[in-house]
Amino acid sequence: MTAENISTIQNLHQFDGQTATLQGWVQNIRSSKSLIFVIMRDGSGLCQCIVSKADVADEVWEQAGTLTQESSLRIKGNIRKDDRSVSGYELHVQELEIIQIAQDYPITPKEHGVEFLMENRHLWLRSQRQWAAMRVRNRIIFAIHEFFQQQGFVQLDAPIFTGNAAEGTTNLFETDYFDQKAYLSQSGQLYGEAMALAHGKIYTFGPTFRAEKSKTRRHLTEFWMVEPEMAFYDLKMNMDLAEDMVVFIVEAVLRDCRSELETLGRDITKLEQVKKPFPRITYTEAVELLSGDKTKELLDTMERENKQALESISKEIPELEAEHGQAKKGRKFQIDRRLKLLRAQREEAEENLRNLPVWRKSALETKWGDDFGGSDETLLTMHFDRPIMVHGYPAEIKAFYMKRDPNDDRVALGVDVLAPEGYGEMIGGAQREDDLETLRTRIAEHELDESVFSWYLDLRRFGTVPHSGFGLGLERTVAWICGLSHVRETIPFPRMLGRLTP
Ligand code: 4AD
Ligand code: MG
């Protein structure tokens, strides 16, 4: 086969009415007596390719008949606009070149359990939803760079091997560094502060490691964090920047990833509400809201709605199951799809009803000084339609480097940004303690070894200035924007408790 006009599916519009060649994989295949429909994937998109027995050489028809899911090939044919096609274009096949016929691809269009899919993550990445999520991830990363570069920030990298803890000592990954103890970076922040005093406004963007023993939807042991750090910024300026960045990211995704969001079934109207200003509430106000009547009402409503949902699902499922036996092929297919959805919804409602009493107790008993748990954050955000900024946390529960509120020594000038729809914390940030002696006291109070922080203390010895910064967790942001329930689907190869392969 002569491969001329090689195109990607994304660029097929350039070949409307002409002959072009696509190279890729068989995502799906369907055939009848005289037609074979190949859904081809090339990484940039999906395209329906039609092989018509009447129009191709016998040999091409025969070859097309041997194609299987995930076989690799080149296809040459005529490109025609078709609004019903996934890419907006169809390819009417003239020639085929099979590179490999794939045998028994393990991930079939039927349902698979998530553990099986995680074991096959290296292949699962090819399926449509995973592909869409990774495209959104890429757009978010690019938006982050655009946002900071446009504002004169310099990207500088922090080391991954470090000699000191940045975010507490309980979740450090320890490694052997030529007979010396080293830790994998928990945050680039401390180095970011040094670089901000050299460059004014910087951001680091790199892998981050936390030996989190918790198996939750929000925790990875290896994740990516973007951490801006700015000289001469106070907490308010820091919060303004975080807000602008989140709005910028969401706008970019809404503009450029419409079809990916559609593939993911994301409710776009929820993202369209992400506008300035984000509600800003103090930690004290958050505690009052969480333990007060409005949360009680919210919990009551959730309980009622979940019970109602469960009741109607439990009625519909046996009805559909009974109908299934006599149904014709088309209707059977419909029933199967509906049953799949209903069973997933039933599972979710049951899980919610199991969790609600625990959530209720945790939320309603919150007292000043407590840290918020995952469910507390979820409930808090459910009172609002956009991200919220909670600031002024008790210093006791926050990191050693946070500056205290000059008006209330119990309070740290820290901020968390909580994503809506129950996603919870996606940003943590603060104004930094800039006074040498105060910072030394904090290091001692946190029982940290001052000697490993001597370079960090130099930043307060030589031209200290007020400064602030924050860290945005990339995977939590991807989960929220894509509407994914677990961070394991937001990174190509997740690392979590109990998962090191593939
Ligand atoms: O709140 P954290 O721990 O803040 C810091 O590390 C600061 N040093 C950042 C700074 O001020 N420069 O983490 C920041 C964000 C969290 O809000 C969350 O989005 C994400 O990092 N994150 C995790 N994401 C996935 N898995 C985990 N185990 C995470 N731990 C934190
Ligand atoms: Mg935090």
Side-chain angles (χ1 to χ4, degrees), residues 41-98:
R41 183 188 79 248
D42 77 344
S44 80
L46 296 174
C47 178
Q48 170 152 284
C49 303
I50 301 161
V51 193
S52 160
K53 191 171 183 194
D55 298 340
V56 295
D58 289 350
E59 177 200 305
V60 173
W61 176 255
E62 259 164 48
Q63 279 191 322
T66 68
L67 289 172
T68 54
Q69 192 191 348
E70 289 306 320
S71 290
S72 46
L73 75 168
R74 294 194 183 87
I75 292 192
K76 183 167 148 184
N78 210 304
I79 309 303
R80 280 187 223 151
K81 198 165 167 51
D82 188 313
D83 291 333
R84 289 163 308 173
S85 165
V86 270
S87 61
Y89 292 87
E90 278 182 350
L91 185 149
H92 293 261
V93 177
Q94 297 160 346
E95 290 175 42
L96 279 183
E97 182 194 332
I98 292 172

Side-chain angles (χ1 to χ4, degrees), residues 167 187 189 210 212 220 225 227 425-427 432 473:
E167 294 294 327
S187 160
Q189 178 197 319
R210 307 256 171 113
E212 303 272 11
L220 294 165
M225 178 151 58
E227 295 182 89
E425 182 191 336
M426 63 175 164
I427 289 179
R432 320 306 188 190

